[in-house]
Amino acid sequence: LYFSAQEGILYFYHIKDLQYEMKICTEILQPISSLIFSPDYTVLLLVTDQGTVYTYKPAHGEEAVKLLDPCSSCFLAADFLTPGNKYCVSVTISGEVQVWFLEDGTCLSKINLDIEVHVT
């Protein structure tokens, strides 16, 4: 079980029967608003309250890597494009939808919906 609290720390709970072990995976110092696993569960996208997007690879136990910084508008949500885990899609509060290459954070395409977006 992966989860985050307001302080921006990603935790992992290993639960077996009635026993559990908690481990701190990475710390990004920004409150994390959402966690999204890739379809093959090798990469975890972390979206912060400030709109920054990070990637974290649980099997490697490395630090989270900043992928996207909010530019003119805050990233509201992000998810993987399937099949695979090479690309993600994000949406900003201002309604801009973008497709990103995860390896280096290159923006491959974007479209503006011309509406304000909200998450429910």
Side-chain angles (χ1 to χ4, degrees):
L1 172 67
Y2 286 90
F3 75 95
S4 176
Q6 284 294 340
E7 68 272 4
I9 298 173
L10 178 66
Y11 295 95
F12 172 71
Y13 268 105
H14 179 76
I15 303 168
K16 184 174 182 179
D17 298 324
L18 297 176
Q19 303 292 321
Y20 70 90
E21 177 185 352
M22 184 182 81
K23 174 185 168 189
I24 294 176
C25 298
T26 191
E27 189 171 349
I28 59 174
L29 303 175
Q30 294 179 21
I32 298 170
S33 59
S34 63
L35 309 169
I36 305 101
F37 262 109
S38 63
D40 63 1
Y41 296 99
T42 60
V43 181
L44 188 60
L45 285 181
L46 311 171
V47 182
T48 70
D49 286 350
Q50 289 80 23
T52 308
V53 179
Y54 291 82
T55 58
Y56 176 74
K57 296 181 180 178
H60 297 114
E62 302 168 353
E63 292 294 315
V65 176
K66 187 184 296 186
L67 178 67
L68 308 172
D69 259 332
C71 301
S72 60
S73 185
C74 183
F75 293 110
L76 192 58
D79 201 351
F80 289 89
L81 286 177
T82 56
N85 58 355
K86 293 183 178 185
Y87 307 98
C88 76
V89 62
S90 66
V91 64
T92 64
I93 293 170
S94 63
E96 186 170 81
V97 178
Q98 300 166 320
V99 175
W100 303 91
F101 184 53
L102 285 173
E103 190 171 307
D104 61 5
T106 302
C107 181
L108 301 174
S109 66
K110 60 184 170 180
I111 185 170
N112 197 321
L113 303 175
D114 293 323
I115 59 169
E116 189 171 309
V117 176
H118 301 274
V119 174
T120 58

